[in-house]
Amino acid sequence: MSNTRSVFVLLSASFLLAGTANAQVLYGNLVGNVTDPQQAAVTGAAVSIKSPSTGYSVDTKTDDRGVYEIRNVPPGVYGIRITAAGFTSFEAKDILVAANNIARVDAPLKVGNVSETITVGAEAAQLQTDKSDLHTDISSKEATQIPISGYRNFQSLIDFVPGANPSNFQNATTDTPARALTTNVNGAARNSNNTRIDGA
């Protein structure tokens, strides 16, 4: 009886963990460092993000390392405001948070009054340093407006990813009634690809 109960508990725990892992890929994270002019950490700085289109907002504070991390942010475009006593306010707009990705906004604060605000525009990251994976995002606009040959199979869009070989049927045409395609990217095996739709 005790063995049956322990197996049930383990199975229940594994289902809970699996549900949590699947939910995480539907959202993004926003992280950053807040520093003063001497590059020292600014602790306890107030960090606030808000989506102008949905009104979704989150408030947090930096930790003792001057780091903030906002998890499970719904995908979208956000504005961020960071304030700390003795420093000018920092604002950045048009921060893109994508599903299953990490956006970074570091805030170098300047000494001054909180009523003074320094606003910066969002810049595309040249190098992704917060995740170790190599990925390409294809937006819904691209998916619906790029003319693709064949059967309007979403796998055809992988042909537009840098390093991808032209896609082919996995088997002969007669053996692939679902018209599933296969692609090798950067010389890796085809089963190394992981395609997600809306982060799932």
Side-chain angles (χ1 to χ4, degrees):
M1 183 69 174
S2 62
N3 286 342
T4 304
R5 185 176 299 151
S6 62
V7 169
F8 175 75
V9 170
L10 285 173
L11 285 173
S12 299
S14 66
F15 286 130
L16 288 173
L17 290 174
T20 302
N22 288 335
Q24 289 175 351
V25 300
L26 299 177
Y27 303 97
N29 295 338
L30 184 61
V31 301
N33 297 320
V34 181
T35 55
D36 65 14
Q38 282 73 42
Q39 300 298 311
V42 177
T43 63
V47 180
S48 176
I49 67 167
K50 185 173 183 178
S51 167
S53 59
T54 65
Y56 179 85
S57 63
V58 178
D59 298 317
T60 189
K61 290 187 178 291
T62 57
D63 61 16
D64 57 353
R65 299 169 298 142
V67 173
Y68 70 89
E69 181 175 16
I70 303 174
R71 294 177 173 268
N72 298 324
V73 179
V77 176
Y78 290 83
I80 186 169
R81 180 177 172 85
I82 301 174
T83 58
F87 296 95
T88 58
S89 299
F90 174 92
E91 287 187 1
K93 298 179 180 179
D94 300 326
I95 307 301
L96 177 63
V97 177
N100 197 32
N101 280 301
I102 300 173
R104 170 173 287 276
V105 178
D106 294 325
L109 300 184
K110 295 184 178 180
V111 176
N113 297 323
V114 176
S115 58
E116 300 176 63
T117 303
I118 296 176
T119 305
V120 299
E123 296 181 3
Q126 298 299 313
L127 180 64
Q128 173 62 265
T129 59
D130 296 299
K131 287 186 73 174
S132 59
D133 66 347
L134 180 64
H135 66 273
T136 298
D137 295 323
I138 298 174
S139 70
S140 58
K141 180 179 179 181
E142 294 168 325
T144 56
Q145 295 186 7
I146 291 178
I148 53 177
S149 60
Y151 306 94
R152 291 296 301 168
N153 186 330
F154 76 93
Q155 292 172 314
S156 298
L157 292 170
I158 299 175
D159 291 349
F160 297 103
V161 174
N165 290 345
S167 54
N168 292 304
F169 288 123
Q170 292 185 15
N171 302 299
T173 306
T174 55
D175 296 333
T176 314
R179 301 297 187 247
L181 301 175
T182 180
T183 306
N184 297 83
V185 182
N186 293 325
R190 69 183 189 188
N191 55 2
S192 298
N193 300 338
N194 185 353
T195 304
R196 299 176 190 262
I197 299 177
D198 291 335

